[in-house]
Amino acid sequence: MSLSVGDVAPEFSLPDQDRQVVSLAELRGRPVLVVFYPFAFSGICTGELCQLRDELATYTDAGVTVVAISTDPVFSLKAFKAQEGLEFPLLSDFWPHGATAQAYGVFNDKAGMAVRGTFLVDAEGRVAFAEVNQPGDAREQSGWKDAVAKIAA
């Protein structure tokens, strides 16, 4: 079962595409948009993350840190980030495989991947927005923007 608004967001410490560890605890004090996606280089995921890249100022101008998490290894994430010009950290939930996605309730055990879960964590570490889409179901990002506008107000 995925998280709901008001829940305490589970902590995580994951390596980014450069093998630098990023933890939710270190980001405390400002809102964080946590975007789980199935796989780097897949069609829908690439489209979603490129839209996020193109509209990144919507989030950063509101003081929101953006991180994207998949079960891909760091080496794939490094190549994906470079190819697509992504300007936010891509975090690897590769090992233990999908542990963070499991904690957020967005891990597909049968496929071994995260589903499309999006969580806006407020500055105190509580979920302010939660949305889960299944594989093949692209996300509409307007809900994220509305949640960011509310939290920034």
Side-chain angles (χ1 to χ4, degrees):
M1 180 175 214
S2 69
L3 299 175
S4 300
V5 171
D7 289 347
V8 173
E11 293 294 336
F12 58 79
S13 291
L14 297 171
D16 70 7
Q17 70 286 334
D18 296 318
R19 294 188 273 176
Q20 300 301 308
V21 174
V22 175
S23 70
L24 187 60
E26 290 172 354
L27 300 173
R28 185 83 65 239
R30 63 183 301 167
V32 180
L33 184 68
V34 180
V35 180
F36 288 91
Y37 62 102
F39 297 113
F41 298 106
S42 61
I44 294 172
C45 297
T46 299
E48 289 179 339
L49 294 183
C50 286
Q51 180 182 352
L52 187 55
R53 171 201 66 206
D54 295 345
E55 299 172 359
L56 189 59
T58 301
Y59 305 98
T60 57
D61 289 354
V64 175
T65 299
V66 174
V67 298
I69 303 174
S70 74
T71 57
D72 294 299
V74 294
F75 307 105
S76 295
L77 298 179
K78 187 172 185 79
F80 184 49
K81 182 173 181 165
Q83 177 177 305
E84 300 303 333
L86 302 174
E87 298 178 7
F88 45 87
L90 302 181
L91 307 182
S92 176
D93 192 16
F94 183 72
W95 198 256
H97 195 72
T100 299
Q102 289 174 30
Y104 278 73
V106 294
F107 188 71
N108 180 323
D109 290 323
K110 292 179 182 170
M113 66 181 192
V115 296
R116 291 178 167 78
T118 310
F119 303 91
L120 180 60
V121 180
D122 68 18
E124 290 76 43
R126 293 205 171 267
V127 176
F129 172 85
E131 176 183 68
V132 178
N133 296 58
Q134 295 306 310
D137 185 10
R139 293 176 266 210
E140 172 55 52
Q141 297 182 19
S142 61
W144 311 357
K145 293 174 191 165
D146 291 344
V148 165
K150 287 179 188 173
I151 207 169

